[in-house]
Amino acid sequence: MAPGEVFCIVGAGLAGGRAAAALRELGFEGRVVLVGEELDPPYERPPLSKAFLLGQLPRARLLLRPAAYYQEQGIELRLGARALEVKPLEHRLRLQDGSRLSYDRLLLATGSTARRLTVPGSDLDGVMTLRTVQESERLQALLEVRPQVLVAGAGFLGCELAAAARARGCEVRLVEFGPSAMPSMGPQVGEFVARLHRRHGVALEFQQEVTGFKGGQRVEAAVLADGRTVPCDLALVCVGATPNSELAQSAGLEMADGVLVDANCRSSDQDIFIAGDLASLWNPELGRRLRLEHWDSAQRQGPHAAAAMLGTHQPYAPLPYFWSEQYDAMIQQVGLLAPDQQVVVRQGPSDASFAAFHMRRGSVVACVAVNRYPDLAAARRLIASGAEVAAGALADPATDLRHLAAGLE
Ligand SMILES: Cc1cc2nc3c(=O)[nH]c(=O)nc-3n(C[C@H](O)[C@H](O)[C@H](O)COP(=O)(O)OP(=O)(O)OC[C@H]3O[C@@H](n4cnc5c(N)ncnc54)[C@H](O)[C@@H]3O)c2cc1C
């Protein structure tokens, strides 16, 4: 790569921030411009619904790198700058302030936006979503006065916010449209999480829907599908996220759910790369596309895309990994679950810990663990080995899984 080249990254979040750093680490000497709509340098989002929200982590600790790092590395940070359009033929970006940026290679890492409910009253004060550090700060302040909280959606974020609100002493109602909590982690976790929240005093309702909010200026109640009106002075809408694909659309890139890229994060335009929540990546191991909205994939794809922008081609196929923290439960998953898998549960010393091994044709292909990190680590090794394992040995708490995994590698 010639030193005069310009690599632009749009989206100064996790994938974008990691990509910019990786370009320098990999020896790129040209211009690196990192364009971000938010005012903060790249930061971590997971603590926004956990330690930071609960006041246990200072703001500065959210940052991927100290602000000075970017200057030291000659990375041009353009914060508070929204990119509006990509013109691929001209290799140019148009920003909201009217300025234009030319690029040789471009990485789009624009993440996703929290979905809102399109029901009456959803624009009332006190009905909010959570994606940014400012929103987390606002929520932190609102929780101080112990409002009655309604959480719509019992996925990862909804469950974490319900737990945080309970930790702040709020009355919490958690309403979920589907039949279980966190369905992507399987029924064992769903049942565990439901029990956990009920034990902590959350009023949890499944197969229930919020059909509207009522109030003057501020929200005062939520209307549910069964006709009840339940009081609340804070409503947290956690019904998923939508990939920020407007720029990719403006560039005419191939898209489905997210932007279609090959295993090197390269889009249908050979000079435009995609990473993080926006990327629908070809996974050679699975033989299909995968778009994940999780920390681990974004932080890996940033550097992976950076290497590909520099011409290094290494197919990307790490095992998907993600986690959630609620109360004192650390819930982790490695690999992906599918209906055709056999599930073997290994109970921990208390009912607050277990691991569910998901198997296909006698081999472990995924694992979900609650407060069982060693089991998850062993599962990673078992998955990598592909070896057949006796279900009975996995389920038996007396089996040393580390030893078992080492013997099969
Ligand atoms: C509250 C919360 C808690 C989470 N907890 C977990 C967890 O416990 N475990 C887990 O695995 N994952 C978790 N995640 C998910 C994880 O944080 C995301 O998957 C990850 O941040 C995605 O990284 P990204 O770089 O793709 O997008 P982001 O980090 O969202 O960064 C995208 C950036 O692009 C900017 N942008 C968008 N459009 C433009 C534009 N046109 N011009 C300029 N800038 C633009 C955005 O403002 C944003 O700053 C959590 C997410 C949230 C919101």
Side-chain angles (χ1 to χ4, degrees):
M1 290 284 132
E5 281 193 306
V6 183
F7 282 9
C8 283
I9 301 171
V10 180
L14 179 57
R18 288 252 197 265
L23 284 173
R24 287 295 183 236
E25 282 158 14
L26 293 168
F28 179 63
E29 291 177 357
R31 244 180 106 191
V32 178
V33 188
L34 180 53
V35 179
E37 186 179 12
E38 293 185 68
L39 297 174
D40 293 87
Y43 62 88
E44 304 277 10
R45 290 180 207 278
L48 303 184
S49 52
K50 311 176 187 71
F52 180 73
L53 179 61
L54 291 173
Q56 296 160 353
L57 191 76
R59 204 176 201 276
R61 292 272 304 279
L62 294 175
L63 295 180
L64 258 55
R65 310 259 183 178
Y69 166 86
Y70 300 93
Q71 203 177 357
E72 282 158 20
Q73 292 296 320
I75 296 169
E76 296 171 40
L77 253 188
R78 297 199 45 179
L79 298 176
R82 181 173 172 77
L84 289 185
E85 192 186 10
V86 181
K87 296 211 162 178
L89 292 179
E90 298 167 25
H91 278 65
R92 215 178 305 176
L93 271 176
R94 182 166 63 86
L95 306 189
Q96 196 163 31
D97 65 4
S99 63
R100 285 165 212 278
L101 268 173
S102 293
Y103 65 82
D104 292 292
R105 292 213 158 142
L106 173 67
L107 173 64
L108 299 181
T110 47
S112 37
T113 298
R115 227 177 263 142
R116 304 190 69 88
L117 283 174
T118 48
V119 298
S122 54
D123 54 351
L124 286 171
D125 285 350
V127 178
M128 64 180 286
T129 55
L130 173 62
R131 184 80 201 172
T132 66
V133 64
Q134 283 81 11
E135 286 163 347
S136 181
E137 282 174 328
R138 198 177 325 138
L139 180 54
Q140 196 175 341
L142 289 168
L143 291 176
E144 287 288 308
V145 296
R146 294 206 202 159
Q148 262 189 308
V149 179
L150 177 125
V151 182
F156 286 73
L157 187 57
C159 287
E160 289 181 2
L161 293 186
R166 282 303 295 143
R168 278 280 165 266
C170 305
E171 240 180 74
V172 179
R173 181 181 300 275
L174 176 54
V175 173
E176 164 60 44
F177 178 68
S180 61
M182 299 173 62
S184 64
M185 282 189 148
Q188 291 77 19
V189 164
E191 283 157 28
F192 169 81
V193 165
R195 272 199 312 276
L196 183 69
H197 281 277
R198 287 188 170 127
R199 200 182 314 140
H200 279 86
V202 172
L204 176 54
E205 298 188 38
F206 290 117
Q207 292 177 314
Q208 184 62 271
E209 209 178 335
V210 175
T211 56
F213 296 103
K214 284 187 171 168
Q217 181 100 6
R218 276 198 73 80
V219 66
E220 289 164 20
V223 184
L224 303 182
D226 62 7
R228 279 177 301 149
T229 297
V230 292
C232 67
D233 8 60
L234 178 61
L236 304 173
V237 176
C238 306
V239 294
T242 313
N244 292 325
S245 52
E246 299 87 345
L247 279 182
Q249 249 158 354
S250 75
L253 303 182
E254 278 178 28
M255 294 200 286
D257 169 36
V259 183
L260 305 188
V261 291
D262 65 14
N264 285 300
C265 294
R266 183 176 246 140
S267 73
S268 52
D269 180 305
Q270 65 155 3
D271 290 326
I272 304 182
F273 297 76
I274 313 289
D277 285 6
L278 181 64
S280 176
L281 226 82
W282 179 253
N283 185 308
E285 296 281 312
L286 297 172
R288 66 178 168 94
R289 296 192 168 281
L290 205 54
R291 189 178 75 79
L292 295 171
E293 290 176 357
H294 292 297
W295 181 90
D296 190 57
S297 44
Q299 64 102 20
R300 284 175 190 272
Q301 285 171 17
H304 184 72
M309 289 166 88
L310 292 168
T312 307
H313 301 297
Q314 287 167 344
Y316 170 94
L319 265 180
Y321 165 77
F322 34 93
W323 82 97
S324 176
E325 293 161 54
Q326 298 163 35
Y327 309 103
D328 53 1
M330 169 59 104
I331 309 167
Q332 296 165 293
Q333 178 174 327
V334 62
L336 293 175
L337 311 190
D340 66 336
Q341 294 164 354
Q342 180 200 353
V343 183
V344 177
V345 176
R346 178 182 171 90
Q347 196 55 52
S350 74
D351 67 355
S353 69
F354 67 89
F357 292 89
H358 288 244
M359 306 183 68
R360 192 181 285 127
R361 290 187 288 279
S363 303
V364 177
V365 290
C367 176
V368 187
V370 175
N371 292 330
R372 296 290 288 177
Y373 179 72
D375 288 354
L376 193 93
R380 269 188 187 280
R381 296 172 71 179
L382 290 169
I383 296 168
S385 77
E388 286 192 21
V389 196
L394 283 177
D396 184 354
T399 308
D400 180 342
L401 288 187
R402 206 161 50 129
H403 195 245
L404 179 76
L408 292 170
E409 280 169 344

